[in-house]
Amino acid sequence: MRSLRTFGRAAGAFVAVAATPAGALPTPVTAPPPVPVVAAAPVPVVAAAPAPAVPTVTLDRAEARPGGRVLVRLAGWPAGTVVIEVCGTGPAGCAVDSSVQTHLAGTGLGGAALTAAVPPGGCPCQVRVTTLDRRLTAAAPLALTGDRGTRPAPAAEHWATVPPVVTAVALERDPGWWSRLGGPARHTLVVRLRNDGTAPAAVTMSVTVGRGDDPSGFVPPPVVPDLAVGEERAVRVPVSLPALAFGTWTVEGRVVTAGAAAPFRASVESRPWGPTALLGVAVVVLLAVELLRRRPRPVRPRRDVAR
């Protein structure tokens, strides 16, 4: 039995060798070497820088009648005060008598209600928004119904086109005791104007307050009546300073007539003595307490107790 198994194995080997071509040996089949897998490095994603905000102006209506109210909405503006007015297209002037000012916070959002008025030179018209430094401006078209296109304003030819002369600027201090003790101070800005032109002048004013050479705090603008030829008038504007306002504060403004402006500036020193006095009293009290604490106490004689 064992010899039969041995014979079978030998016969199988002989058959395999016979099936191989002459001179060739059976080639063993080997698996291909493994290909190393290298993980690809992550590609860094660079976020695109946000595009700077573009100031925009939108209106709640596309047309209005002269004297009607238009709601102006603003977005993308820097913080500060802007002037909103109805202007003609191109070199035409603006209706400065109906212009308004509004202060925008750091979000750049805001708005105001504007009275539609026909500008000098008539329409086509637009609502134009401009920063006080005139660096940024944007506009939205507004159709004034009832206006005859290029009809001039009723007295456009008989009104001054240059602002009146600023003859004097002064700040009257708050006489109250509360401001001297460190509370909010309410000063009064006095601007004297004189119309040296040959026609009445329609005047608007913009005022800001703050520290340094570029104040940005909003001050409600005053209503200035028209100045007759040769007339001189003192315009009084309340200016509020916050509590504990130390140092030099600057008040800056412009007198605007028919798009032309005359700047003015004034400053005030705010040094309330109330906080300084309270600090001095507190120091004196603390020193007195410390001296009393360190003062040696008298030694009382001991008395012998009789037993």
Side-chain angles (χ1 to χ4, degrees):
M1 191 68 180
R2 180 176 303 176
S3 60
L4 290 177
R5 290 179 181 175
T6 303
F7 178 78
R9 291 176 181 173
F14 177 79
V15 171
V17 170
T20 303
L25 296 177
T27 304
V29 179
T30 58
V35 179
V37 179
V38 180
V43 179
V45 179
V46 180
V54 178
T56 59
V57 180
T58 56
L59 309 179
D60 67 335
R61 62 192 65 188
E63 61 181 33
R65 296 186 63 85
R69 305 286 281 182
V70 179
L71 181 60
V72 183
R73 297 184 178 91
L74 308 176
W77 291 83
T81 304
V82 296
V83 181
I84 308 173
E85 50 195 352
V86 180
C87 303
T89 57
C94 301
V96 295
D97 293 342
S98 63
S99 64
V100 296
Q101 295 184 7
T102 185
H103 185 75
L104 303 177
T107 58
L109 302 176
L114 177 67
T115 301
V118 181
C123 289
C125 297
Q126 60 182 353
V127 175
R128 186 180 301 168
V129 182
T130 310
T131 56
L132 291 181
D133 55 9
R134 300 288 177 177
R135 293 182 181 177
L136 292 178
T137 182
L142 176 67
L144 293 182
T145 58
D147 176 52
R148 292 196 293 268
T150 59
R151 175 179 58 86
E157 297 180 356
H158 306 285
W159 288 90
T161 58
V162 294
V165 179
V166 179
T167 59
V169 181
L171 268 172
E172 297 180 353
R173 289 180 172 273
D174 188 349
W177 286 94
W178 180 240
S179 62
R180 299 181 183 180
L181 293 176
R186 188 177 178 86
H187 302 313
T188 302
L189 173 69
V190 182
V191 182
R192 297 194 66 86
L193 306 176
R194 186 180 68 240
N195 184 9
D196 291 343
T198 58
V203 178
T204 59
M205 291 182 61
S206 62
V207 183
T208 56
V209 63
R211 291 186 177 181
D213 296 332
D214 189 18
S216 59
F218 175 71
V219 176
V223 178
V224 184
D226 300 336
L227 270 72
V229 177
E231 181 183 1
E232 184 171 353
R233 179 186 299 128
V235 181
R236 304 177 67 85
V237 185
V239 178
S240 298
L241 300 184
L244 300 178
F246 283 91
T248 303
W249 290 74
T250 303
V251 179
E252 189 177 57
R254 301 190 311 157
V255 180
V256 182
T257 299
F264 62 85
R265 178 186 288 260
S267 61
V268 62
E269 289 286 338
S270 179
R271 303 190 183 279
W273 51 263
T276 305
L278 293 177
L279 180 61
V281 171
V283 171
V284 171
V285 171
L286 291 176
L287 290 176
V289 171
E290 184 67 16
L291 290 175
L292 290 176
R293 189 178 66 84
R294 295 186 178 185
R295 181 179 178 182
R297 298 181 180 180
V299 180
R300 296 182 179 180
R302 296 182 58 185
R303 297 181 179 180
D304 295 335
V305 180
R307 297 183 179 178

